């Protein structure tokens, strides 16, 4: 199954995901855009995939009026853990931090600025 989703399908959020999004100040519409249009994916486990957007994809979404220019910063720095089998968002977090996650090594990220 391809993780890039059809625009009409919206993912479910686990209870944990809802709590983490609120605590981290991540908007639900940003997470939905990443799950629908995410063009970078890395396997985290058997069923989990880490999704994110590349700078080129963010520019494309803004030019097509799918995303607002104000969302560019949030879209560029957010990673979403997605369960493919259950079609659920498990959690979302900022890409930047003191300690990189193991699936984040070797992936070159650049800001849209």
């Amino acid at each position: 199954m391809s993780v890039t989703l059809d625009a009409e399908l919206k993912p479910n959020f686990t209870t944990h995901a809802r709590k983490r999004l609120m605590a981290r100040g991540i908007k639900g519409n940003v997470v939905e855009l990443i799950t629908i249009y995410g063009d970078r994916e890395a396997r985290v486990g058997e069923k989990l995939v880490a999704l994110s957007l590349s700078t080129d994809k963010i520019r494309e979404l803004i030019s097509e009026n799918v995303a607002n220019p104000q969302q560019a910063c949030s879209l560029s720095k957010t990673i979403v853990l997605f369960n493919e089998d259950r079609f659920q968002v498990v959690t979302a977090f900022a890409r930047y931090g003191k300690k990189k996650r193991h699936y984040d090594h070797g992936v070159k990220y650049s800001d849209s600025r």
Side-chain angles (χ1 to χ4, degrees):
M1 171 180 158
S2 175
V3 178
T4 306
L5 309 172
D6 194 6
E8 288 129 20
L9 300 174
K10 293 195 177 185
N12 298 317
F13 290 82
T14 62
T15 306
H16 173 77
R18 289 182 200 281
K19 287 179 185 177
R20 295 292 89 214
L21 291 176
M22 254 194 189
R24 295 173 178 154
I26 300 171
K27 306 273 187 206
N29 57 354
V30 169
V31 173
E32 286 180 5
L33 285 172
I34 293 172
T35 56
I36 293 169
Y37 299 104
D39 59 342
R40 281 197 218 139
E41 54 184 70
R43 288 260 164 226
V44 179
E46 263 185 54
K47 300 173 186 176
L48 291 180
V49 176
L51 295 172
S52 60
L53 289 170
S54 66
T55 305
D56 292 336
K57 188 65 173 184
I58 293 169
R59 285 187 189 125
E60 180 184 321
L61 293 175
I62 291 171
S63 68
E64 294 175 356
N65 293 324
V66 174
N68 298 330
Q70 295 83 7
Q71 293 175 318
C73 185
S74 295
L75 289 171
S76 69
K77 69 178 182 180
T78 304
I79 294 177
V80 175
L81 283 186
F82 187 75
N83 185 326
E84 289 181 310
D85 290 350
R86 295 185 178 186
F87 201 66
Q88 284 183 325
V89 173
V90 176
T91 191
F93 48 89
R95 164 181 300 138
Y96 307 107
K98 292 181 182 177
K99 185 177 177 184
K100 283 189 169 185
R101 277 119 181 133
H102 69 91
Y103 48 83
D104 208 17
H105 290 282
V107 179
K108 183 180 177 189
Y109 295 113
S110 61
D111 285 336
S112 58
R113 299 177 211 204

